[in-house]
C-alpha cells in the first residue's frame, strides 16, 4: 500500500510538471489519457493548437486518381471490320485497280475535249472506282475523328460512320456541282473530262491517305504528324483538280471573275460547312 501511494504521488507530480511546462510554452498537452476518457477528448480551438493538431485520414481512404482512358478507333471492332471489308473487296479487284491507276494521271491532267474509245470506263473499272471512293470516305472519316475529338467508347463506330457518310455526301455534292457547272458553262465533252478529273483525284487521294490514316490509327503518338500529311495530300489533290478546271473554263481575262466565284462557292464555303458539320457530329455523340 505505501508503495502504490508513492507511485501515484509521483505520477501526479510528473503530470503537474508537464502541464505547467505546456502552459508556460503555450503548446497543448499531449499527456496519455486513460482509455475510458477517450470520448472526452475535444479538438483544439485556438489557432496555435489547430496548427499542431493534425488529423490524418486512414490509409484505406487515400489513393491515386485513375486517369481517363483514351479510346482509340483501333480498339473498336466495328471500325476495323469496316476497313478490313473494304481492303478485301479491293484485293479481289486488284487487277482492275492496277489498270485503273495507270490511267488516273492522264485523266487528272488531260483536257482534250474529245476522247477516244479507250477513255471510257468499263463496268469493272467503274466498280473499282466506286470502291476507291468508298475507301477515301472511310479514311477521311477516321482522320476527322482523330482530329476533332474522341466521344465515349460506345460511340466510336457511330461517329466514324457518320463522318464517313458526311464525306460521301461531300463527294456527291462535288460530282453534282461539276455536272451543273459543266452543263451551264461548257459543252458535254469538257464537262465529262472535268468529272473524270474529279474521280481521278478522289481515287488517287483515297490510295494516298491509306498510309497516314493507318499509321495515325494504330500509332497514336504519330497522329499529329499524320494529320499534317493527310491535310497536305488533300490540298494537293484539290489544287490538281482546280488546275484542270481552270484549263477547261478559262477563255479570257474577264472569265477570271467566274473562276473566283467558283472558288468561293464550290471550294471554300463547302469545306467550311463540312468542318462545322463534322464538329457538330462529334459534339452530339
Amino acid at each position: 500500500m505505501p508503495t502504490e501511494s508513492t507511485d501515484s504521488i509521483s505520477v501526479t507530480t510528473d503530470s503537474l510538471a508537464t502541464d505547467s511546462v505546456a502552459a508556460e510554452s503555450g503548446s497543448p498537452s499531449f499527456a496519455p489519457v486513460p482509455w475510458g476518457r477517450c470520448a472526452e477528448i475535444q479538438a483544439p480551438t485556438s489557432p496555435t493548437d489547430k496548427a499542431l493538431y493534425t488529423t490524418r485520414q486512414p490509409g484505406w481512404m487515400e489513393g491515386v486518381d485513375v486517369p481517363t482512358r483514351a479510346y482509340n478507333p483501333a480498339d473498336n471492332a466495328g471500325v476495323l471490320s469496316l476497313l478490313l471489308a473494304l481492303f478485301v473487296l479491293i484485293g479481289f479487284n486488284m487487277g482492275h485497280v492496277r489498270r485503273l491507276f495507270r490511267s488516273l494521271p492522264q485523266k487528272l491532267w488531260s483536257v482534250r475535249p474529245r476522247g477516244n474509245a479507250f477513255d471510257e470506263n468499263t463496268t469493272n473499272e467503274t466498280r473499282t472506282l466506286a470502291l476507291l471512293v468508298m475507301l477515301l470516305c472511310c479514311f477521311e472519316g477516321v482522320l476527322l475523328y482523330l482530329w476533332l475529338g474522341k466521344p465515349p467508347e460506345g460511340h466510336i463506330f457511330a461517329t466514324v460512320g457518320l463522318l464517313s457518310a458526311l464525306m460521301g455526301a461531300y463527294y456527291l455534292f462535288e460530282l453534282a456541282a461539276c455536272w451543273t457547272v459543266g452543263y451551264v458553262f461548257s459543252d458535254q465533252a469538257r464537262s465529262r473530262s472535268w468529272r473524270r478529273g474529279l474521280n481521278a483525284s478522289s481515287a488517287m487521294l483515297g490510295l494516298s491517305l491509306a498510309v497516314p490514316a493507318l499509321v495515325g490509327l494504330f500509332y497514336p503518338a504519330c497522329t499529329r504528324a499524320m494529320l499534317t500529311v493527310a491535310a497536305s495530300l488533300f490540298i494537293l489533290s484539290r489544287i490538281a483538280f482546280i488546275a484542270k478546271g481552270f484549263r477547261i473554263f478559262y477563255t479570257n481575262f474577264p472569265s477570271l471573275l467566274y473562276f473566283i466565284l467558283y472558288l468561293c462557292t464550290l471550294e471554300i464555303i463547302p469545306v467550311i460547312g463540312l468542318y462545322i458539320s463534322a464538329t457538330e457530329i462529334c459534339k452530339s455523340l
Side-chain angles (χ1 to χ4, degrees):
M1 293 298 293
T3 305
E4 293 178 359
S5 61
T6 304
D7 295 338
S8 61
I9 294 173
S10 62
V11 170
T12 304
T13 304
D14 294 341
S15 62
L16 291 175
T18 304
D19 294 341
S20 61
V21 172
E24 293 176 357
S25 61
S27 59
S29 175
F30 295 96
V33 180
W35 178 261
R37 296 181 59 192
C38 289
E40 302 177 4
I41 300 177
Q42 297 180 356
T45 57
S46 63
T48 303
D49 294 349
K50 287 182 178 181
L52 296 175
Y53 185 86
T54 58
T55 303
R56 184 178 180 85
Q57 295 181 348
W60 60 271
M61 297 182 64
E62 299 179 356
V64 179
D65 294 336
V66 179
T68 304
R69 179 183 177 185
Y71 297 109
N72 194 342
D75 302 328
N76 188 272
V79 176
L80 295 180
S81 300
L82 178 62
L83 294 178
L84 182 61
L86 288 175
F87 281 127
V88 170
L89 291 176
I90 291 177
F92 287 151
N93 296 272
M94 186 55 64
H96 302 295
V97 171
R98 288 196 299 265
R99 189 179 305 110
L100 179 64
F101 192 79
R102 286 195 296 265
S103 64
L104 289 180
Q106 187 268 340
K107 292 181 179 180
L108 180 60
W109 186 250
S110 176
V111 293
R112 288 184 303 172
R114 185 181 302 275
N116 52 38
F118 299 99
D119 290 337
E120 298 297 330
N121 291 334
T122 63
T123 303
N124 293 330
E125 290 178 345
T126 302
R127 184 178 63 247
T128 305
L129 181 63
L131 288 176
L132 293 178
V133 172
M134 291 176 59
L135 187 67
L136 168 67
C137 296
C138 291
F139 283 153
E140 289 177 335
V142 171
L143 291 169
L144 281 176
Y145 176 88
L146 296 176
W147 179 35
L148 294 176
K150 296 177 174 57
E153 182 182 11
H155 297 156
I156 290 179
F157 179 68
T159 305
V160 173
L162 289 176
L163 292 176
S164 301
L166 179 64
M167 298 308 302
Y170 175 68
Y171 168 77
L172 294 178
F173 168 79
E174 288 182 307
L175 199 60
C178 286
W179 185 88
T180 304
V181 173
Y183 178 80
V184 174
F185 295 98
S186 184
D187 54 14
Q188 185 177 3
R190 292 180 182 272
S191 177
R192 188 184 301 111
S193 176
W194 198 31
R195 291 197 300 271
R196 285 199 299 265
L198 174 64
N199 293 330
S201 63
S202 300
M204 295 177 68
L205 180 62
L207 294 175
S208 302
L209 289 181
V211 174
L214 294 179
V215 172
L217 185 66
F218 293 102
Y219 298 94
C222 304
T223 299
R224 185 179 298 273
M226 293 300 102
L227 289 175
T228 303
V229 173
S232 302
L233 292 174
F234 177 79
I235 293 174
L236 291 176
S237 174
R238 300 310 302 173
I239 290 176
F241 173 68
I242 293 171
K244 180 171 183 176
F246 180 81
R247 296 172 60 200
I248 290 175
F249 295 102
Y250 177 78
T251 55
N252 48 32
F253 185 78
S255 63
L256 288 176
L257 176 62
Y258 296 101
F259 183 74
I260 294 173
L261 292 176
Y262 154 74
L263 290 179
C264 297
T265 306
L266 299 180
E267 294 295 339
I268 298 177
I269 295 178
V271 173
I272 296 175
L274 185 69
Y275 171 76
I276 296 174
S277 302
T279 304
E280 292 299 325
I281 288 175
C282 291
K283 288 182 179 179
S284 61
L285 295 178

